[in-house]
Amino acid sequence: MKITFMGAGSTVFARNVIGDCMCSEALRDSVFALYDIDGDRLEESRVILEAMRKAKGGYGKIECYLGAEQRKEALRGATFVINAIQVGLYDPCTIIDFEVPKKYGLRQTIGDTLGIGGIMRALRTIPVMKDFANDMEEVCPDAIFLNYTNPMAMLSGYMQRYTAIETVGLCHSVQVCSRVLLDSLDMSDKLDGRKELIAGINHMAWLLEIKDKNGVDLYPEIRKRALAKAVDPDYWDNVRLDYIRNFGYYCTESSEHNAEYNNFYIKSQYPELIERYNIPLDEYPRRCENQIAAWKEEYQQLLKEGVKDHERSHEYASYIMESIVTDTPYKIGGNVLNKGGLISNLPREACVEVPCLVDGRGVTPCYVGNLPVQCAAMNMTNINVQLLTIEAAHTLKKEHIYQAAMLDPHTSSELDIDTIKAMVDDLIVAHGDYLPKYH
């Protein structure tokens, strides 16, 4: 069996996912094909993973493929393809995503999922993923594409609608959602045996139901404690607690993410909200710089001291592959096309995050039904942007980029239409060859 990792220069993530595969008897004898366009980063990953493979008993084989000219061979015959690319990297593209909007008075926290940063990130990534899909349709048409790259709903949605490749988007925010909530509200004693239902869209899926091991609804106590906790400006998760207060439900992704998915919290005319909700502006660039520095230091340490044993992480990928190969049922929260109306009050062409059963037949999404109307309405403000961005990538019409930005909740709450268009034009110029030509 062959497992191909696209963007294997993301060494820390490749180490976790491929390392997880090496912990599975069903997967450890695979050929692990590492693909990247950066030779230095690819070599770092090879060194770490080869050492890990030997430490794990020497099972399997690692192959490296560098550059677009070797991409098709990296994919040839693959059973699973894992996607973790970042087109344009932190420097220059993420810097552009933050610095150009800042000139127009538009501030962001993460900028990788929605907002103008998420839009531009999708527009430079979709053409690359389209090339992946074209190659896969030729050399591994039955492979399952496991996408970890953000913006999750835009990229997975494009693949699901406009390519023939079976695609599921994966994000660990579903896995940690209720644990984080219960831990933060001093309700950790309710973790064991809890039952929950989470559905919506990536990074804004809703914890719709949560019951303890005896079937007791935990939401009344959660809402009570959330109201008491939300008055503390130093608390780190105030935006999501505010969601509970105003919309009745907690959502999957962190407050620094959700602060920019709406028109409520980052407002230049209300600067006091930044402190009140503890919103970390420019958080993603800080993280990137810290992670780059930390990895350089860690890599040198690994070269000196050797690779430590890897313990299997909670990331979905290896468990999905193992489940399919062994025909053992496993449940995930997956990002899939809303085909058949899995969430019946969201559009069929939207990419939604719902419970999915995994077994030998692959990934089978589960029907959820209607979301609470206010939760569906919040999701729609994001879905509008996602669908227009996908349309822009598919048609190469600049007007759809404008429209995506105009309908983005945060962007439109800060800037007028003419300013939004001017900002989009500046971003297109600044990204240069990282974007295709729009008309």
Side-chain angles (χ1 to χ4, degrees):
M1 187 168 66
K2 183 175 181 179
I3 299 170
T4 299
F5 197 110
M6 310 300 282
S10 304
T11 306
V12 174
F13 193 66
R15 176 180 59 182
N16 286 342
V17 173
I18 301 299
D20 288 350
C21 294
M22 293 175 182
C23 294
S24 166
E25 284 190 28
L27 304 175
R28 66 187 183 184
D29 241 348
S30 300
V31 173
F32 300 105
L34 310 181
Y35 171 82
D36 208 279
I37 61 171
D38 184 315
D40 292 338
R41 292 165 63 93
L42 184 61
E43 175 61 13
E44 287 180 2
S45 292
R46 186 198 67 78
V47 169
I48 297 301
L49 288 169
E50 187 61 46
M52 188 181 295
R53 187 185 70 82
K54 291 176 181 176
K56 286 289 185 185
Y59 296 97
K61 181 182 179 183
I62 292 171
E63 298 176 348
C64 291
Y65 298 86
L66 177 63
E69 63 276 7
Q70 294 188 10
R71 184 178 63 217
K72 195 175 290 187
E73 287 309 308
L75 292 165
R76 189 178 300 279
T79 304
F80 301 99
V81 178
I82 302 158
N83 184 54
I85 62 173
Q86 184 180 359
V87 177
L89 301 175
Y90 166 62
D91 187 358
C93 285
T94 296
I95 294 173
I96 292 169
D97 287 344
F98 275 79
E99 293 304 315
V100 171
K102 205 180 290 185
K103 294 175 183 176
Y104 290 86
L106 187 65
R107 303 294 299 276
Q108 301 170 90
T109 54
I110 305 295
D112 74 345
T113 296
L114 207 73
I116 194 62
I119 292 168
M120 301 310 297
R121 193 180 179 105
L123 294 176
R124 63 178 180 264
T125 307
I126 286 174
V128 178
M129 289 176 61
K130 181 181 179 183
D131 288 342
F132 291 177
N134 290 341
D135 285 349
M136 290 178 68
E137 287 169 13
E138 180 181 341
V139 300
C140 58
D142 297 323
I144 298 177
F145 191 79
L146 304 178
N147 179 51
Y148 274 102
T149 298
N150 285 323
M152 178 62 64
M154 299 185 200
L155 303 184
S156 301
Y158 178 87
M159 292 286 287
Q160 290 153 358
R161 290 173 61 194
Y162 291 117
T163 80
I165 300 303
E166 182 180 350
T167 299
V168 60
L170 304 176
C171 177
H172 58 251
S173 62
V174 171
Q175 293 158 279
V176 301
C177 174
S178 62
R179 175 176 291 278
V180 167
L181 176 62
L182 294 177
D183 282 344
S184 67
L185 296 180
D186 300 320
M187 296 175 65
S188 303
D189 60 312
K190 305 297 183 183
L191 286 168
D192 289 344
R194 71 193 185 281
K195 300 174 182 65
E196 63 191 37
L197 172 63
I198 295 175
I201 60 172
N202 180 243
H203 285 189
M204 197 190 279
W206 304 96
L207 181 62
L208 298 171
E209 298 175 7
I210 180 165
K211 298 177 180 179
D212 70 12
K213 61 184 178 183
N214 299 314
V216 176
D217 185 3
L218 295 178
Y219 249 128
E221 183 64 21
I222 286 171
R223 292 185 178 111
K224 176 182 167 185
R225 296 191 185 202
L227 285 174
K229 182 80 77 171
V231 300
D232 180 3
D234 294 324
Y235 184 61
W236 62 275
D237 202 20
N238 280 330
V239 168
R240 285 198 288 180
L241 294 192
D242 210 44
Y243 278 11
I244 296 177
R245 182 168 71 92
N246 290 294
F247 296 96
Y249 297 90
Y250 191 69
C251 82
T252 47
E253 190 48 84
S254 63
S255 283
E256 63 265 24
H257 274 273
N258 270 274
E260 63 183 7
Y261 298 166
N262 53 65
N263 55 349
F264 306 135
Y265 305 107
I266 306 174
K267 302 172 79 69
S268 56
Q269 292 191 19
Y270 299 89
E272 69 275 9
L273 294 176
I274 300 301
E275 185 174 346
R276 176 179 167 188
Y277 289 97
N278 198 12
I279 295 170
L281 295 172
D282 297 321
E283 173 66 12
Y284 189 58
R286 279 194 299 273
R287 285 186 192 177
C288 289
E289 291 175 2
N290 291 338
Q291 288 169 354
I292 291 167
W295 169 244
K296 287 180 180 178
E297 185 177 330
E298 183 182 355
Y299 183 65
Q300 292 304 315
Q301 188 173 352
L302 288 170
L303 291 178
K304 289 178 184 177
E305 300 177 8
V307 175
K308 297 177 182 177
D309 194 22
H310 176 79
E311 293 186 10
R312 199 169 184 180
S313 77
H314 65 264
E315 294 292 353
Y316 279 140
S318 70
Y319 296 98
I320 291 171
M321 292 184 277
E322 183 179 71
S323 173
I324 292 171
V325 169
T326 63
D327 194 19
T328 305
Y330 179 63
K331 191 185 88 169
I332 66 168
N335 290 272
V336 296
L337 197 64
N338 195 29
K339 195 161 44 176
L342 300 167
I343 298 179
S344 44
N345 54 349
L346 294 181
R348 303 294 177 97
E349 63 268 29
C351 179
V352 295
E353 195 163 63
V354 296
C356 299
L357 172 68
V358 187
D359 58 16
R361 295 180 64 248
V363 179
T364 305
C366 300
Y367 176 79
V368 174
N370 278 348
L371 296 179
V373 65
Q374 72 275 19
C375 296
M378 278 287 283
N379 284 165
M380 277 306 307
T381 66
N382 287 221
I383 290 170
N384 292 332
V385 181
Q386 293 161 2
L387 295 182
L388 277 162
T389 303
I390 291 171
E391 196 69 12
H394 179 61
T395 64
L396 296 181
K397 290 183 178 180
K398 191 188 293 185
E399 64 186 282
H400 292 316
I401 308 177
Y402 293 149
Q403 291 158 355
M406 286 156 51
L407 288 171
D408 176 67
H410 175 46
T411 303
S412 61
S413 72
E414 291 281 71
L415 306 179
D416 65 88
I417 289 177
D418 289 339
T419 304
I420 290 171
K421 289 183 175 180
M423 179 181 65
V424 167
D425 288 340
D426 279 359
L427 282 162
I428 290 172
V429 171
H431 280 298
D433 291 340
Y434 284 104
L435 295 178
K437 301 302 179 188
Y438 287 86
H439 54 83

